[in-house]
Amino acid sequence: MKLIYFLSFVLILVAFPNLCLSDLVSDTCGRTLYKDLCNSILKNQGATDLTSLGAIALKIANSNGQKVQNQISALVKTASPEVKKVLSDCSENLNDAIGQVKDSTTALSKKSYGDVLTWMSAALTDADTCVDGFTQKKITSPVVDTSKTFSQICSIVLTITNILAGKI
C-alpha cells in the first residue's frame, strides 16, 4: 500500500514538475511587501530553490538598475542645468547601487547572507537617495517610476535573503 502512495507521489511530481516551483514563488512572494511585483517578475523563471530564486531576483534588480541608468543618460542630454546636476548625482547613486547588487550576487553564491543584506540595504538607500535629490530641489523626478521599481526589487531580494538566513 505504501508503495502505491509513493508511486502516485512520484507520478504527480513527474507529471506536474512546476507545481512545487510555483509554490516556491507564490509562498516566497507572499512574504514580501510587493507581492504582485514579486510574482510577476519571478514566476516562470525556472528557480529550483530559494537560492536560485534569490539569484534570479538579483539578476532582475541589476537589469532594472541598468534601465534606470540608461534612462538618466538619455535625460541628461536635454535637461536644464539644474536638472542635469540632480540627474548626475542620481547617476552616481545608481552606479553605486548597481555595484552593490553585483557584490550581492557574489555574496549570495557564497551563502554570505549577512553581506547580501548589507549590500542590498545600501543599494536600496542609494536608489532612495536618487529620488530624494529631486524632492529636495522641488523638481519632479523623471525617473521616479523606474527607480521605485528598482527599490521594490531590492526589497524583494532583502526578503528572500532574510528567509535564507532564517531571520523570517
Side-chain angles (χ1 to χ4, degrees):
M1 189 62 128
K2 290 181 183 179
L3 180 62
I4 292 174
Y5 288 122
F6 175 75
L7 291 175
S8 298
F9 178 73
V10 170
L11 181 61
I12 289 171
L13 285 179
V14 170
F16 304 102
N18 290 331
L19 188 61
C20 294
L21 298 180
S22 175
D23 287 346
L24 171 68
V25 172
S26 62
D27 290 349
T28 303
C29 290
R31 298 170 83 175
T32 69
L33 294 174
Y34 307 103
K35 295 166 184 49
D36 292 339
L37 175 63
C38 182
N39 278 299
S40 72
I41 64 172
L42 294 178
K43 70 178 177 183
N44 302 321
Q45 292 292 327
T48 56
D49 57 24
L50 198 53
T51 301
S52 65
L53 192 65
I56 291 166
L58 281 163
K59 184 178 177 182
I60 293 168
N62 184 58
S63 175
N64 191 270
Q66 292 292 339
K67 180 179 175 182
V68 179
Q69 194 65 286
N70 293 342
Q71 185 182 11
I72 291 170
S73 295
L75 290 166
V76 163
K77 295 175 185 173
T78 59
S80 69
E82 184 181 29
V83 173
K84 234 179 226 185
K85 172 67 174 126
V86 179
L87 285 169
S88 175
D89 292 345
C90 188
S91 179
E92 286 181 35
N93 287 320
L94 258 295
N95 274 335
D96 290 345
I98 292 166
Q100 291 151 349
V101 170
K102 290 176 182 175
D103 290 339
S104 294
T105 302
T106 302
L108 181 66
S109 71
K110 296 177 181 178
K111 299 186 184 325
S112 299
Y113 304 128
D115 291 344
V116 177
L117 294 171
T118 299
W119 289 118
M120 290 308 296
S121 294
L124 188 58
T125 299
D126 282 333
D128 290 344
T129 301
C130 169
V131 175
D132 290 346
F134 290 99
T135 305
Q136 291 169 358
K137 297 282 186 182
K138 296 183 177 25
I139 300 171
T140 301
S141 171
V143 295
V144 69
D145 291 336
T146 51
S147 185
K148 178 180 172 185
T149 301
F150 176 74
S151 293
Q152 291 172 343
I153 297 169
C154 289
S155 173
I156 291 166
V157 172
L158 284 168
T159 299
I160 293 170
T161 307
N162 274 312
I163 295 169
L164 283 166
K167 295 186 176 196
I168 57 171

